[in-house]
Amino acid sequence: MFKILKKTEIAPKIYEFIIHAPEIARKAFPGHFIICMAEEIGERIPLTVADYDREAGTITLVLMQVGVSTTKLARLQEGDSLYALIGPLGHPSEMGKFGTVILVAGGVGTAPVYPIAKMLHELGNHVIVIQGARNQELLFWTDKIAAVCDEHIITTDDGSYGRKGLVTEPLKEILEARRDEVKYVWTIGPAIMMKFCAKTTEPYGVTTFASLNTIMIDGTGMCGGCRVTVGQKTFFTCCDGPEFDAHQIDWDSVLKRQQVYKCQEKCSMDRYVEEYQKTVDS
């Protein structure tokens, strides 16, 4: 039903899928996410909608192959279909003509940043995108990002491309020089990066949104697995987010919860690799 029309490895172990899903494409907006399953028996995976084409009836998803579930998805080929796909879920990003806005994308966070930047640019905002990765090899969609922003700054941890350093460094420099111009900041990427982006913008009083990638199961607010503390209150990322005020998020709790199932994830991956190898050998 949800056929993979195109699959591309856009960076090592990072895959772009274009999927036929006309009903989701018709309703999707920047910031929305979906829940998908590679097969009947398996985990439900939340992925942000990285792009959509209402006329073609397609959505674009980007994932990094890390654990068992993302490995199963990454092994699907063009012509295969996802077992399940529901969405769009969550609240879309706040949109309007604000003035100057900054979007900070870290690693795979580039994918969900793209549709937000695109719509903000179409609405007439001055869009600045700071795109970071560990090295040049892990950068992707640089041309697509450049096409939907007015200023594009690329950083790599090792200096192999663009500016050497962390994304927080140009972010702070822009705020120092142009604080009165910047109306909003979005940050999407690893939780530790979003935490320090929030710490960077907080002294300047600039409203900052972070899109959280918490543990998620059903994606509709029933299980409570994606709970997060924001402003000392409990929210569910799936139905209250995924974007929250980055200055109000309890980041230490977010980072701690991300480590809860590390042992189980490793055991599951080891078992999957062993079973997969048996299948290959036979």
Side-chain angles (χ1 to χ4, degrees), residues 155-183:
T155 70
T156 50
D157 294 358
D158 64 358
S160 54
Y161 190 87
R163 171 176 171 172
K164 183 178 181 178
L166 304 176
V167 290
T168 50
E169 294 167 12
L171 175 61
K172 183 176 181 179
E173 291 169 4
I174 294 169
L175 293 174
E176 283 281 352
R178 299 149 67 178
R179 166 60 192 93
D180 294 338
E181 296 178 28
V182 180
K183 303 305 179 184

Side-chain angles (χ1 to χ4, degrees), residues 18 29 33 99 102 126 152 172 178 207-208 225 256 264:
I18 298 178
F29 282 95
F33 70 95
I102 303 174
H126 183 88
H152 186 202
K172 183 176 181 179
R178 299 149 67 178
T207 300
T208 303
K256 185 176 181 180
Q264 290 89 339

Side-chain angles (χ1 to χ4, degrees), residues 181-199:
E181 296 178 28
V182 180
K183 303 305 179 184
Y184 291 106
V185 173
W186 277 263
T187 176
I188 307 179
I192 190 67
M193 182 209 81
M194 293 190 288
K195 173 183 177 179
F196 281 97
C197 282
K199 285 183 174 293

Side-chain angles (χ1 to χ4, degrees), residues 31-222:
H32 275 142
F33 70 95
I34 57 90
I35 293 279
C36 67
M37 296 176 69
E39 58 187 20
E40 184 176 3
I41 300 174
E43 186 181 10
R44 299 156 61 92
I45 295 292
L47 294 171
T48 306
V49 178
D51 202 0
Y52 49 86
D53 186 325
R54 303 197 200 284
E55 291 186 7
T58 62
I59 62 171
T60 300
L61 303 175
V62 173
L63 67 89
M64 173 178 275
Q65 182 180 341
V66 179
V68 172
S69 297
T70 51
T71 297
K72 289 179 179 179
L73 286 166
R75 284 177 173 160
L76 294 175
Q77 302 300 322
E78 293 178 3
D80 292 338
S81 294
L82 297 173
Y83 173 76
L85 182 66
I86 62 169
L89 300 172
H91 293 284
S93 303
E94 183 175 345
M95 288 290 148
K97 189 172 182 180
F98 307 122
T100 299
V101 295
I102 303 174
L103 295 98
V104 185
V108 185
T110 293
V113 157
Y114 172 74
I116 301 173
K118 181 181 179 181
M119 184 167 283
L120 287 169
H121 192 257
E122 290 173 350
L123 290 170
N125 294 283
H126 183 88
V127 179
I128 304 170
V129 177
I130 303 171
Q131 182 181 2
R134 292 198 303 272
N135 53 55
Q136 181 179 3
E137 194 176 31
L138 294 174
L139 283 168
F140 64 91
W141 282 15
T142 53
D143 291 342
K144 289 185 68 167
I145 291 291
V148 297
C149 67
D150 299 280
E151 299 179 49
H152 186 202
I153 301 166
I154 297 176
T155 70
T156 50
D157 294 358
D158 64 358
S160 54
Y161 190 87
R163 171 176 171 172
K164 183 178 181 178
L166 304 176
V167 290
T168 50
E169 294 167 12
L171 175 61
K172 183 176 181 179
E173 291 169 4
I174 294 169
L175 293 174
E176 283 281 352
R178 299 149 67 178
R179 166 60 192 93
D180 294 338
E181 296 178 28
V182 180
K183 303 305 179 184
Y184 291 106
V185 173
W186 277 263
T187 176
I188 307 179
I192 190 67
M193 182 209 81
M194 293 190 288
K195 173 183 177 179
F196 281 97
C197 282
K199 285 183 174 293
T200 300
T201 61
E202 192 167 16
Y204 301 93
V206 180
T207 300
T208 303
F209 301 107
S211 182
L212 297 183
N213 54 347
T214 54
I215 294 169
M216 200 175 292
I217 302 170
D218 69 273
T220 61
M222 293 188 291

Side-chain angles (χ1 to χ4, degrees), residues 5-26:
L5 303 180
K6 186 176 180 181
K7 174 190 176 185
T8 309
E9 188 171 9
I10 52 179
K13 292 192 175 183
I14 300 176
Y15 298 89
E16 172 191 313
F17 291 91
I18 298 178
I19 298 171
H20 182 253
E23 290 301 308
I24 296 177
R26 183 169 61 86

